[in-house]
Amino acid sequence: MDRLVALCKRRGIIFPSSDIYGGIGSAYDYGPAGARIKRNLADHWLREMTMKHDDIVELDSAIIYNPRVWEASGHVGGFNDPMVECSECKGRFRDDHIVSIYLCCKCQKSKVKKTGVETREPTTENETACEICKENTDWQRIETQCPRCGAKNSLTPPRQFNLMMKTYVGPIEDESGIAYLRPETAQGIYIDYKIVMETSRLRPPFGIAQIGKAFRNEITTKNFIARTREFEQMEMQFFIKPGDNEKWCEYWREQRWNYLLDLGVRPEKLRWHEHEKLAHYARAAWDIEYEFPYGWGELEGLHDRGDFDLSRHSEFSGKDLSFFDDSVKERYMPHVIESSSGLNRAMLMLLCEAYHEDVQDGEERVYLSLDPRIAPVKAAFLPLVKKDGLYELGHDLFKSIQGRWRADFDESGSIGKRYRRQDEVGTPFCFTIDYQTKEDGTVTVRWRDTLQQERISKDQIPNFLSNKLGII
Ligand code: ATP
């Protein structure tokens, strides 16, 4: 992880925000290559959702909604994390992230050390089997340790901390102006579902997909871009007829899993986690977890939300959000199956998958084996030397594909150095223009991962890229 973070900083892919002022704790900026990777990933997700499925449409809703939305959704009252504070170092932590020693409530003998997992579920009462009683049992926390200063039993009892970021709308900073930066994009979809359905001439089953910023006042942020206070979500809410829930959960679970495999993620690095304790809105919930360098962590969620959201918004707004199916003369409140993914966390996962080191000609090489669809630059044009017309030849070839694929022209430094530069940002193909190009019109193509080289006619470059990259 440290080496990936260092690469990201060295190449200006991702780096701490407002760094010249000392940063602001876990806010990150995405430089040219990083911004491009993030956008490619977002575009790819959106294409997958709205182009591969003709029953899903896109939405771009506001970030600040009427605050009543958050009362209806349950966020004002219930979007809390349990926070503990260390009486020694004054550090604040999420209670369910603390490593503690637990005692078996049944036999009072067996002790286990458990790390809070990456979930909002409390771990204090997790029912797991005791090695001595051989039965499922409750566990009582008997010893805590501060993750920062190491002090034993210095943590205060947990208190609930609301994660929504407050702001004021309008010139007067009083109660009447309080609003929230959305902590998820999903609610924007629910409140707009009816107008989108009617204007798009859709009827259940159909989906609405949205990518956008979300804000959570996380107690602790960590693991680079995996948990920050400002992040982006890619959420798709699928509206169905009640009763079809299981079928659609199954369908979307399979879709999401295959989507990740198609992006090249190794299946052994992925696993499902089914929630036993459910959030107030959910009837069933699964996470896809990825094994990050710091351990397994949630990548995205798949939730059966039933009619919770639409019913609550109907009740709170006074507007009937039910659907009348005129083909069978039946009225019902659609149920929702939600696919909820974090763009930044997904990007981190792809960077972890792509990060490779090897040794070439005695020199260490770092390369990102990014899927070409996600790579920030698709091809680089490298004249072997600047003289004898090779520069101009290379530049003309570079210009000839500009506008179709994102490409780079690099003429400075040794060819080896230039290859390394491209490898580090994951450019899948490098075209080298040399003296032979002048003679027979061929260039060398170098493949990033295998380092395989072949000569193709320079006129074949657009064809080669179309074949290898498809529509991107
Ligand atoms: P976690 O338990 O990791 O806090 P969550 O269960 O609260 O996540 P959801 O509310 O289901 O997460 O949000 C959906 C997705 O949004 C998550 O799977 C994750 O990819 C992303 N996400 C949530 N919180 C953050 C954050 N603070 N920073 C970056 N991404 C986040």
Side-chain angles (χ1 to χ4, degrees):
M1 189 71 169
D2 289 346
R3 280 178 280 176
L4 174 65
V5 174
L7 169 74
C8 286
K9 186 154 191 200
R10 187 168 76 244
R11 295 308 313 272
I13 301 171
I14 307 168
F15 40 86
S17 184
S18 34
D19 208 23
I20 60 168
Y21 287 99
I24 181 176
S26 104
Y28 292 93
D29 291 344
Y30 294 68
R36 188 47 34 212
I37 294 173
K38 184 148 69 71
R39 190 167 303 277
N40 288 346
L41 183 54
D43 286 349
H44 178 255
W45 179 90
L46 199 60
R47 206 166 29 234
E48 169 83 16
M49 286 295 176
T50 60
M51 286 172 77
K52 280 205 186 153
H53 300 92
D54 52 14
D55 51 2
I56 300 181
V57 290
E58 186 186 353
L59 174 73
D60 181 5
S61 71
I63 286 178
I64 297 173
Y65 310 141
N66 184 313
R68 289 274 288 161
V69 169
W70 304 112
E71 287 171 34
S73 68
H75 281 79
V76 171
F79 193 51
N80 301 321
D81 268 347
M83 180 173 79
V84 291
E85 193 170 329
C86 174
S87 50
E88 298 288 327
C89 72
K90 306 291 171 216
R92 292 186 177 131
F93 313 96
R94 241 171 88 168
D95 186 47
D96 53 341
H97 284 179
I98 301 293
V99 184
S100 312
I101 295 178
Y102 292 83
L103 181 71
C104 170
C105 294
K106 272 202 183 129
C107 64
Q108 300 277 319
K109 285 192 192 114
S110 175
K111 288 183 187 171
V112 289
K113 201 172 185 183
K114 293 203 265 184
T115 317
V117 281
E118 287 283 310
T119 155
R120 294 190 194 289
E121 296 163 32
T123 50
T124 38
E125 292 167 354
N126 259 3
E127 277 229 328
T128 42
C130 165
E131 288 204 341
I132 296 182
C133 5
K134 306 279 179 228
E135 277 178 53
N136 272 351
T137 174
D138 283 342
W139 297 87
Q140 184 199 352
R141 174 139 78 178
I142 55 166
E143 188 181 301
T144 60
Q145 186 170 20
C146 172
R148 186 191 290 166
C149 70
K152 294 247 164 83
N153 297 327
S154 61
L155 302 176
T156 56
R159 70 184 166 89
Q160 294 303 324
F161 172 79
N162 193 287
L163 297 174
M164 282 208 293
M165 288 222 193
K166 261 188 202 160
T167 186
Y168 295 95
V169 172
I172 305 190
E173 289 190 13
D174 67 7
E175 284 284 309
S176 67
I178 287 184
Y180 303 94
L181 304 185
R182 67 179 175 198
E184 61 176 33
T185 56
Q187 298 302 325
I189 297 180
Y190 306 137
I191 56 178
D192 287 347
Y193 118 95
K194 207 152 193 186
I195 186 169
V196 172
M197 177 171 69
E198 286 169 2
T199 52
S200 311
R201 292 179 296 110
L202 289 162
R203 45 176 46 236
F206 76 96
I208 303 178
Q210 161 151 250
I211 300 177
K213 289 260 179 181
F215 302 82
R216 295 182 186 180
N217 207 357
E218 299 278 358
I219 298 165
T220 41
T221 53
K222 57 180 178 175
N223 298 328
F224 196 29
I225 53 171
R227 184 179 303 286
T228 49
R229 296 193 172 98
E230 174 182 343
F231 56 100
E232 275 169 89
Q233 286 190 315
M234 307 186 284
E235 295 198 298
M236 193 282 299
Q237 312 296 319
F238 202 69
F239 299 87
I240 59 165
K241 191 174 174 190
D244 290 345
N245 306 46
E246 227 170 275
K247 176 179 99 183
W248 285 112
C249 281
E250 193 72 8
Y251 173 82
W252 280 108
R253 284 182 55 183
E254 196 183 316
Q255 290 285 312
R256 294 309 300 154
W257 186 265
N258 290 339
Y259 166 85
L260 295 171
L261 298 190
D262 176 64
L263 268 178
V265 185
R266 291 163 292 168
E268 65 272 21
K269 288 277 179 183
L270 296 170
R271 70 181 186 195
W272 283 105
H273 163 72
E274 184 168 2
H275 288 229
E276 280 160 23
K277 292 202 171 89
L278 294 170
H280 63 277
Y281 56 77
R283 290 158 47 108
W286 299 264
D287 293 336
I288 298 183
E289 296 184 335
Y290 174 75
E291 192 178 18
F292 289 96
Y294 52 82
W296 287 94
E298 174 179 334
L299 185 63
E300 60 177 72
L302 203 277
H303 312 126
D304 176 356
R305 301 181 68 121
D307 66 358
F308 177 83
D309 305 278
L310 295 187
S311 296
R312 292 277 288 193
H313 286 305
S314 284
E315 183 190 330
F316 277 67
S317 67
K319 303 277 183 319
D320 180 10
L321 297 182
S322 65
F323 169 74
F324 182 68
D325 184 348
D326 49 12
S327 63
V328 287
K329 306 275 178 271
E330 191 190 334
R331 178 172 291 284
Y332 61 82
M333 192 62 85
H335 281 204
V336 172
I337 309 301
E338 167 184 68
S339 163
S340 175
S341 172
L343 175 56
N344 317 71
R345 209 177 278 184
M347 175 168 167
L348 177 61
M349 180 270 301
L350 284 187
L351 289 175
C352 292
E353 280 291 288
Y355 185 91
H356 285 86
E357 290 172 356
D358 65 9
V359 176
Q360 293 301 327
D361 305 324
E363 251 186 67
E364 212 172 83
R365 169 175 92 122
V366 172
Y367 66 101
L368 290 181
S369 66
L370 287 169
D371 183 305
R373 292 169 293 184
I374 307 300
V377 174
K378 313 300 178 193
F381 289 82
L382 316 173
L384 190 63
V385 290
K386 281 191 221 172
K387 52 186 187 177
D388 301 329
L390 296 188
Y391 178 101
E392 291 74 13
L393 200 51
H395 202 254
D396 286 349
L397 289 175
F398 162 64
K399 284 280 174 198
S400 73
I401 68 149
Q402 245 188 353
R404 288 186 69 187
W405 295 283
R406 236 160 249 278
D408 205 3
F409 179 73
D410 188 0
E411 82 294 356
S412 63
S414 74
I415 191 75
K417 259 211 185 98
R418 283 181 272 161
Y419 282 147
R420 300 282 180 278
R421 272 207 286 268
Q422 296 299 332
D423 288 344
E424 281 191 337
V425 293
T427 308
F429 305 108
C430 287
F431 296 107
T432 313
I433 295 90
D434 55 18
Y435 288 103
Q436 198 179 326
T437 315
K438 279 177 75 176
E439 282 164 24
D440 64 7
T442 63
V443 295
T444 305
V445 193
R446 172 186 177 271
W447 302 60
R448 175 198 62 206
D449 299 354
T450 58
L451 300 176
Q452 174 199 332
Q453 301 209 2
E454 62 176 294
R455 286 203 84 89
I456 62 166
S457 156
K458 63 181 171 53
D459 304 333
Q460 284 303 313
I461 291 175
N463 261 351
F464 175 91
L465 289 175
S466 290
N467 287 340
K468 300 289 177 260
L469 302 171
I471 302 166
I472 47 178

